[in-house]
Amino acid sequence: MYRNSLFDNPLAVFLLFLLVGFTNIILSVHFISVLLAGITFVAFIRCVEKKYNYSLILVIFIFFIIESSQGLKLLSLSLLSLFIYIFIIPKVQTLLSSITLYMFSIVFIFYLGVIFLYMSFSEVNIVFLTKILFNYIFDIFVIGILI
């Protein structure tokens, strides 16, 4: 369903690792919460579908950085991504034919799962929901450029 993507290149996945590490470790100290989890989720899907195992390990490390900087349990985002990949993506693929709309809806479902994870591990308030909405819009903008 995909064309050639930037995530086919292992160097791009490594640069994504550095970018997400920087934004989540350095910027979270200053309370600027830019997760880039949606972009990492798209890279996860791409690595699983194309069987890029080494890049997949790096993507899981990216999820570790996001989880540790945001206070989530380890492997929660990886398991959420795997759950969405196995159970939800086949249903969404049959419903949507546009690649762009498909990617936007999958990232939206992923962020709904992230909200559910935060609800089960901590308290959710309006500030958190605005941060998640900002992250979703930012990820959609970046994914729109990458597609």
Side-chain angles (χ1 to χ4, degrees):
M1 179 147 194
Y2 296 109
R3 296 175 258 173
N4 286 336
S5 173
L6 184 64
F7 299 123
D8 290 338
N9 188 354
L11 183 63
V13 174
F14 180 72
L15 291 175
L16 178 69
F17 173 73
L18 293 177
L19 178 69
V20 171
F22 175 74
T23 59
N24 280 291
I25 292 172
I26 303 299
L27 294 180
S28 66
V29 172
H30 300 289
F31 303 110
I32 301 170
S33 181
V34 178
L35 299 178
L36 298 175
I39 299 168
T40 308
F41 173 66
V42 172
F44 179 86
I45 291 172
R46 186 67 177 189
C47 290
V48 170
E49 283 183 350
K50 293 289 189 171
K51 296 183 173 96
Y52 298 145
N53 295 330
Y54 295 117
S55 296
L56 181 64
I57 291 170
L58 196 58
V59 168
I60 291 173
F61 281 135
I62 296 171
F63 278 140
F64 283 161
I65 291 172
I66 295 171
E67 292 161 349
S68 63
S69 68
Q70 298 300 319
L72 293 170
K73 303 286 184 189
L74 289 181
L75 290 175
S76 61
L77 290 178
S78 300
L79 291 175
L80 173 67
S81 300
L82 192 62
F83 175 80
I84 291 172
Y85 177 75
I86 292 172
F87 294 110
I88 296 176
I89 285 181
K91 301 294 182 189
V92 173
Q93 279 180 342
T94 58
L95 293 175
L96 301 174
S97 62
S98 170
I99 294 173
T100 308
L101 188 59
Y102 164 74
M103 293 303 291
F104 292 171
S105 63
I106 286 177
V107 172
F108 180 74
I109 292 169
F110 176 73
Y111 273 112
L112 286 179
V114 169
I115 290 171
F116 178 73
L117 284 175
Y118 271 102
M119 284 186 345
S120 62
F121 295 135
S122 66
E123 182 179 310
V124 175
N125 54 16
I126 193 70
V127 174
F128 170 74
L129 292 176
T130 56
K131 287 180 183 178
I132 290 293
L133 181 65
F134 169 73
N135 281 303
Y136 174 70
I137 292 170
F138 183 72
D139 285 348
I140 289 302
F141 178 72
V142 172
I143 290 170
I145 292 172
L146 293 177
I147 291 182

